[in-house]
Amino acid sequence: MTGDLLDLTAAQAGQRVRAGELSASDLFEAWRERAATDSLNAYRWVADAPPPEIAAGAPLGGVPVAIKDLFCTEGVPSAAGSRILEGYLPPYTATAVEQLAQAGAPMLGKTNMDEFAMGSSNENSGFGPVMNPWDESRVPGGSSGGSAAAVAAGLAPWAIGTDTGGSIRQPAALCGIVGLKPTYGSISRYGMIAFASSLDQAGPLTRDVTDCALLFRHMVGRDPLDSTSTGLPEEVRLPDQERLDGLRFGVPPELTRGGVDPGVAAVFEQSLRHIEELGGTLEEVSLPHSDQGISAYYVIAPAEASANLARFDGVRYGLRAEAGDLASMYEDTREHGFGDEVKRRIMLGTYALSSGYYDAYYGRAQRVRTKIAEDFRSAFERVDLIVTPTSPTVAFGLGERTDDPLAMYLSDFCTVPMPLAGIPAISIPGGLSDELPVGIQLAGPAFSENRILEAAYALEQAIGFDGSGARG
Amino acid sequence: MGAAPVADALAERAYEPVIGLEIHVQLSTRTKMFCGCELSFGEQPNTRTCPVCLGLPGTLPVTNAEAVHFGLMIGMALGCEPAPRSIFHRKNYFYPDLPKGYQISQYDIPLARDGRLGDIRIHRVHLEEDAAKLVHAGASGRIHGAEASAVDFNRGGTPLVEIVTEPDVRSAAQAAEWLRLLRVTLRQLGVSDVNMEEGSLRCDANVSIRPAGEATLGTKTELKNMNSFRFLERGVNAEVARQEELLREGGAVTQETLHFDPRTGALSPLRSKEEAHDYRYFPEPDLVPIAPTEEMLERARSALPELPAQRAERLESDMGLVPDTARLLAFRSDLGDFFERAAAARVGDDSKAIANWIVGELVANIGDADPADTKLEPESLAALVGMVREGTVAGSAAKDVLTTLVAEGGDPAEIVEAENLGAAGGDELARVVDQAMADQADAVEKIRAGNDKATGAVMGAVMRATEGRADGAEVQRLIRERL
Ligand SMILES: [Zn+2]
């Protein structure tokens, strides 16, 4: 039974439940048992009881979903990968998680992640790194590494994560699955423990593009609890196009040349051939400011994080260090509760916002951000979608980049410009290089998710990637 | 405005205080600034809270539309220009009363700016959220030296409007006087309880002094915690005197924040740790800008009542009231409303007399109560004042009639009739005067000798005999006639 279920995509499993061929509770139990076998450290918590009755005909059919640990879930540990929130039980549930439960996707478990979503390897988790199911000596990517590894390893039918500078797309690429970072505002951020508020966006991590569209459809929506949420102007369609006729694809040299490993470049080239074979056209488009994306990102995101993380002060919840006076209590709590990378970014952000430096750092980064958004706008006057590798490399070894933060930061250079511009992008598996998955990224204008999903679906059919190698 | 003694003294020494005020007003919206919690009025600690105002991880603020509406009303009432698009910033600092580690406030683009109230220009009006309340156990009552501290988050997130004036105030008395005008204006708007003792109206003052007549500004200090009009006046006076003495002794004023102790009247510097902040302001990414639509502006505009300053002006120019009376009626809108209803029922040119009766006899009678809550009808008051003018009832008797009207209501003419309070006159009064002059022969001699004051004795006798029903001027005339 379990073996059969593992071969089904989430959409297929949901269909069987709705057709009465499978009971939602059997399905949940099978996945629960499967998740409990996790040996990758992908989960922080696995449901120990079946969910309340799934409504008959619920559109997601009772297929359970793994939730990144930074979504607050009522009465269930939600630590965002940080020791400072160890044991914290939120009194409420994030809007996106609530919507999925309503649609018939109950929570299967909470997945491991880089502390407060700060990282590209999952090695910054306060609770130990996650291993890549394709090669357990390698990282799954980050920060949604637990979600990506769980889906790739068949420990979850599908999962949700969050993307700030690449935190859905890069681990999806490194684990050989599909990950969508939607348009900023399309999904409510209410209940997501904030890293960088102007960039954070939730999204699905799934085995294929159809699952991605289906899960995404039930995550979007304007939320009165999030004033920056907009929802999507149109219904999310399940993709069915197998051709790319008439679609123009832009290839930006800035994100496809220097720094991309030859093996990744080869798979990327292959994808470009597929695009042409499917009737799409290729065109070089320039994103002249995207090479400054990493610099701008590593000012803006830490600046916002330095404020977002100020609330972890030991006064109301989470860790509190015993100390003689208020200042020492603050200092000791944060000294012991936060990991090195989090402290590094808090310091960066605090510095960037300091009086006398604000304009030179934060102000300038915001101006770069505007330029990057303008680059995309003018590119999308000429092309429908932009195609790049998702990550310049395949999954790297555990510990390989931990002593070199700059090298680690550079693993995001293909994924950082899109959140800076607020636009959507998907990563799909393009093939293998040295037995490790390579991700292909498709980006489009704001709210063009349907176009992206259609193109990704057509490309996915042509590529025919087989991810079963990672499912034990 | 009466100049305070200290200001007078300074003028002799040729120093001039330059004072700007920063006022925080708690808005009386139904819910908090960024969450759905109802505002708290002395409930058990931490019962008016939710994940948002406790700053729990993952929560987001949502701007209270009613607070924006009130803010726009205040901006307009103070003659400010509302910004087409104002934004919130995060003001970052660590303190236990600040659950997010930052306060959401407005910074470089406030809700409204550049206005005026009375003589004082308004620099800006902006929206922000209040901090929670710290309760310190221990002798100091402040966080330093406290044995333990507890936080009550009921107040946290209460909507605040901060009003900042230009440094146009020139004395402590003027500061207190102007703050009273602001308070009555805000009360008239119905946007706040504006109670200084309870903290719904708080005032800080920036104080500096300079040689009189010079345009440059001296170094200023910021005075906090003056939670009554009296304390504001005392605090500013004390600080002006302190700076004066410093300069006279050849010292210099240092820029610092001073805490006013109402028990001792002393000013003490806040410790530098409480003061020295780099707030690292940056735009709040969780909120969208406030861009008032024409509908929002119109709604705020049409919600504006006539404001006290305008009303005082109108009562002076249209009704011919003297400034003090006009202001009293305008600042107490219940009296003003009663006055206008009575004046509408008046006969002839009685407006000023009616106003005097209200601010004099009526207030003496009812104190702070609203005259509309008594049995007195404005029309009855107008009728009574008319009877006094016509001489059908004497002033002193009319006061008794008023007391009856306040307590029991009724028609003044009927009361006068029933209680025999009609003015004594004719033969009756002539006989009483004759009798009184005969009884007070000594006094009459003195009057004849040129001592006018002696008239009082005769007058007193007449009043006693008529039980106050006699008109004083008529009695005077009858006495003169008989000398
Ligand atoms: Zn609340």
Side-chain angles (χ1 to χ4, degrees):
Chain A
M1 172 90 169
T2 303
D4 292 345
L5 283 182
L6 280 183
D7 290 336
L8 299 177
T9 66
Q12 289 162 346
Q15 252 159 23
R16 290 212 187 166
V17 173
R18 285 201 307 278
E21 298 161 22
L22 188 63
S23 94
S25 56
D26 285 353
L27 181 68
F28 186 88
E29 190 51 29
W31 277 111
R32 207 189 62 74
E33 280 172 17
R34 175 70 189 159
T37 67
D38 169 32
S39 60
L40 301 173
N41 200 24
Y43 279 100
R44 286 284 308 132
W45 177 88
V46 174
D48 48 15
E53 194 80 10
I54 302 294
L60 297 180
V63 184
V65 60
I67 307 288
K68 188 180 186 179
D69 198 31
L70 66 59
F71 289 89
C72 287
T73 44
E74 187 179 343
V76 168
S78 309
S82 183
R83 290 277 175 191
I84 211 164
L85 278 178
E86 193 167 7
Y88 173 64
L89 303 176
Y92 75 100
T93 295
T95 301
V97 177
E98 192 66 52
Q99 277 183 217
L100 289 180
Q102 293 296 322
M107 176 167 58
L108 176 60
K110 300 294 287 287
T111 55
N112 201 350
M113 56 180 284
D114 283 304
E115 183 175 8
F116 291 112
M118 297 177 186
S120 309
S121 70
N122 232 292
E123 292 163 296
N124 296 336
S125 169
F127 306 100
V130 178
M131 283 158 274
N132 190 315
W134 292 84
D135 175 348
E136 295 189 7
S137 72
R138 291 176 188 265
V139 304
S143 65
S144 309
S147 285
V151 173
L155 298 170
W158 50 11
I160 64 172
T162 60
D163 191 312
T164 305
S167 281
I168 287 174
R169 292 161 290 156
Q170 186 255 14
L174 270 46
C175 290
I177 62 165
V178 174
L180 173 68
K181 186 220 86 88
T183 305
Y184 184 79
S186 57
I187 297 171
S188 170
R189 289 185 295 117
Y190 190 77
M192 277 165 49
I193 298 173
F195 162 18
S197 314
S198 73
L199 298 160
D200 295 344
Q201 189 54 204
L205 293 106
T206 57
R207 205 183 281 180
D208 69 13
V209 175
T210 304
D211 280 0
C212 180
L214 185 59
L215 199 57
F216 178 55
R217 177 191 277 178
H218 295 283
M219 295 174 77
V220 298
R222 156 135 177 72
D223 181 3
L225 297 177
D226 174 1
S227 7
T228 65
S229 72
T230 54
L232 267 200
E234 55 182 11
E235 171 114 347
V236 178
R237 293 188 300 270
L238 295 190
D240 57 5
Q241 300 293 311
E242 297 194 348
R243 298 281 304 168
L244 296 172
D245 297 308
L247 272 187
R248 299 162 300 171
F249 289 78
V251 184
E254 296 87 353
L255 301 182
T256 53
R257 294 202 184 137
V260 176
D261 275 4
V264 171
V267 173
F268 178 63
E269 284 301 322
Q270 216 174 64
S271 306
L272 298 184
R273 299 293 81 78
H274 283 303
I275 289 174
E276 288 180 318
E277 284 160 21
L278 293 170
T281 57
L282 297 174
E283 189 178 326
E284 186 172 299
V285 291
S286 181
L287 300 172
H289 297 91
S290 56
D291 59 342
Q292 294 166 48
I294 289 283
S295 316
Y297 175 84
Y298 277 99
V299 171
I300 293 168
E304 293 182 7
S306 72
N308 283 330
L309 269 51
R311 69 189 62 198
F312 303 105
D313 58 7
V315 174
R316 283 144 298 128
Y317 43 76
L319 182 74
R320 175 194 290 192
E322 290 309 321
D325 63 25
L326 181 66
S328 328
M329 192 276 279
Y330 283 156
E331 282 164 21
D332 294 357
T333 297
R334 292 165 69 81
E335 166 64 28
H336 291 112
F338 289 140
D340 288 348
E341 182 60 25
V342 170
K343 286 180 204 160
R344 182 153 42 229
R345 296 202 198 184
I346 290 174
M347 285 188 281
L348 269 174
T350 303
Y351 186 77
L353 291 173
S354 298
S355 91
Y357 297 96
Y358 179 92
D359 199 57
Y361 293 98
Y362 189 77
R364 196 154 161 220
Q366 289 291 7
R367 288 192 288 278
V368 169
R369 184 175 187 174
T370 306
K371 293 282 184 201
I372 287 174
E374 283 167 6
D375 284 356
F376 277 112
R377 256 196 301 281
S378 52
F380 288 128
E381 283 168 12
R382 292 171 49 203
V383 297
D384 301 304
L385 294 167
I386 282 172
V387 55
T388 76
T390 309
S391 164
T393 67
V394 292
F396 42 94
L398 284 159
E400 202 177 287
R401 295 186 188 171
T402 41
D403 293 334
D404 188 353
L406 267 183
M408 189 74 94
Y409 293 175
L410 284 173
S411 28
D412 292 333
F413 88 84
C414 297
T415 50
V416 148
M418 294 79 185
L420 286 172
I423 62 172
I426 198 170
S427 178
I428 63 168
L432 297 176
S433 164
D434 292 334
E435 310 287 300
L436 292 167
V438 171
I440 304 300
Q441 175 174 241
L442 296 174
F447 304 114
S448 68
E449 275 84 347
N450 277 326
R451 184 195 302 172
I452 290 176
L453 288 163
E454 289 288 6
Y457 177 79
L459 199 52
E460 177 184 57
Q461 308 310 306
I463 292 169
F465 181 79
D466 177 10
S468 62
R471 296 199 285 276
Chain B
M1 170 201 62
V6 170
D8 285 339
L10 267 176
E12 283 167 25
R13 292 169 203 148
Y15 277 109
E16 169 185 66
V18 176
I19 302 158
L21 302 176
E22 283 182 25
I23 300 99
H24 287 91
V25 185
Q26 276 185 346
L27 299 181
S28 48
T29 48
R30 194 179 64 80
T31 56
K32 292 186 179 180
M33 186 68 221
F34 297 114
C35 67
C37 290
E38 285 183 31
L39 297 195
S40 174
F41 298 95
E43 279 79 12
Q44 285 296 304
N46 295 313
T47 53
R48 288 285 165 94
T49 62
C50 72
V52 176
C53 59
L54 289 175
L56 295 192
T59 58
L60 298 170
V62 176
T63 306
N64 180 339
E66 194 185 13
V68 173
H69 175 61
F70 283 2
L72 289 172
M73 283 174 67
I74 292 173
M76 288 173 174
L78 300 181
C80 295
E81 192 62 43
R85 187 176 171 282
S86 70
I87 59 172
F88 286 102
H89 271 64
R90 291 185 183 176
K91 179 181 182 179
N92 297 285
Y93 62 98
F94 284 95
Y95 212 59
D97 64 4
L98 201 60
K100 299 186 294 299
Y102 54 84
Q103 180 196 30
I104 303 178
S105 180
Q106 294 196 292
Y107 182 53
D108 53 2
I109 314 178
L111 187 69
R113 65 201 334 167
D114 297 335
R116 171 182 287 278
L117 177 68
D119 302 334
I120 309 301
R121 287 172 301 152
I122 306 292
H123 177 58
R124 57 186 279 152
V125 172
H126 79 235
L127 286 166
E128 60 186 34
E129 56 178 339
D130 207 348
K133 204 165 171 179
L134 285 180
V135 184
H136 305 297
S140 73
R142 289 163 74 178
I143 197 161
H144 292 287
E147 284 146 25
S149 299
V151 197
D152 174 7
F153 288 99
N154 282 358
R155 193 183 73 181
T158 299
L160 290 182
V161 154
E162 181 177 324
I163 299 165
V164 182
T165 75
E166 298 289 352
D168 289 351
V169 181
R170 291 293 172 269
S171 74
Q174 188 191 6
E177 169 81 12
W178 184 83
L179 191 60
R180 283 194 178 89
L181 171 62
L182 178 68
R183 183 176 67 163
V184 73
T185 302
L186 296 171
R187 179 176 290 149
Q188 187 75 7
L189 293 176
V191 296
S192 170
D193 296 338
V194 283
N195 185 316
M196 286 192 87
E197 283 73 20
E198 289 169 11
S200 55
L201 178 71
R202 294 171 232 158
C203 183
D204 300 337
N206 291 309
V207 178
S208 65
I209 61 172
R210 66 183 173 196
E214 277 193 18
T216 53
L217 293 173
T219 305
K220 68 179 178 189
T221 54
E222 188 179 0
L223 274 58
K224 287 190 176 292
N225 195 41
M226 297 166 296
N227 60 355
S228 77
F229 293 99
R230 197 163 53 91
F231 292 157
L232 170 65
E233 207 164 331
R234 273 172 59 194
V236 171
N237 274 332
E239 176 56 10
V240 168
R242 189 188 69 89
Q243 292 189 12
E244 225 289 306
E245 198 176 323
L246 259 177
L247 294 193
R248 226 166 3 97
E249 287 167 356
V253 176
T254 33
Q255 185 160 355
E256 59 187 337
T257 302
L258 301 167
H259 178 94
F260 179 74
D261 184 344
R263 281 174 303 179
T264 60
L267 293 160
S268 59
L270 286 179
R271 285 168 54 132
S272 58
K273 260 199 172 167
E274 287 178 354
E275 187 195 359
H277 288 302
D278 176 356
Y279 291 121
R280 293 176 280 116
Y281 279 100
F282 74 101
E284 165 58 286
D286 286 334
L287 290 170
V288 291
I290 301 175
T293 60
E294 196 40 56
E295 287 77 15
M296 288 163 73
L297 294 173
E298 185 46 43
R299 193 175 148 239
R301 217 174 280 130
S302 57
L304 292 185
E306 183 185 34
L307 298 170
Q310 297 165 349
R311 189 176 207 178
E313 228 166 78
R314 180 171 61 81
L315 294 180
E316 265 187 70
S317 59
D318 294 5
M319 312 287 254
L321 305 189
V322 298
D324 279 354
T325 307
R327 201 162 50 194
L328 226 154
L329 293 175
F331 282 23
R332 264 192 67 183
S333 59
D334 54 340
L335 296 183
D337 293 348
F338 195 87
F339 164 70
E340 300 214 35
R341 286 175 60 195
R346 75 186 185 274
V347 182
D349 192 22
D350 284 347
S351 298
K352 275 192 268 189
I354 293 172
N356 290 337
W357 272 85
I358 291 175
V359 304
E361 286 312 313
L362 182 58
V363 168
N365 224 296
I366 63 172
D368 287 337
D370 183 341
D373 294 340
T374 71
K375 294 275 170 55
L376 175 68
E377 295 298 327
E379 295 76 16
S380 312
L381 179 65
L384 181 62
V385 172
M387 289 166 69
V388 173
R389 174 174 42 76
E390 288 161 0
T392 44
V393 62
S396 51
K399 290 177 190 175
D400 296 338
V401 178
L402 182 70
T403 305
T404 307
L405 286 172
V406 166
E408 296 162 20
D411 175 51
E414 282 170 19
I415 295 169
V416 166
E417 171 109 37
E419 307 204 358
N420 192 27
L421 293 170
D427 292 349
E428 182 204 355
L429 187 58
R431 273 196 306 279
V432 174
V433 172
D434 286 342
Q435 185 61 47
M437 289 178 76
D439 291 350
Q440 304 286 332
D442 287 357
V444 172
E445 275 315 307
K446 286 179 185 160
I447 300 169
R448 287 209 173 95
N451 181 357
D452 279 353
K453 280 185 189 162
T455 319
V458 181
M459 178 74 76
V462 173
M463 288 299 174
R464 275 194 300 279
T466 59
E467 293 178 306
R469 290 178 297 115
D471 179 68
E474 178 65 6
V475 176
Q476 287 277 8
R477 196 184 60 76
L478 291 173
I479 295 171
R480 296 279 161 214
E481 212 175 66
R482 282 160 174 72
L483 287 172

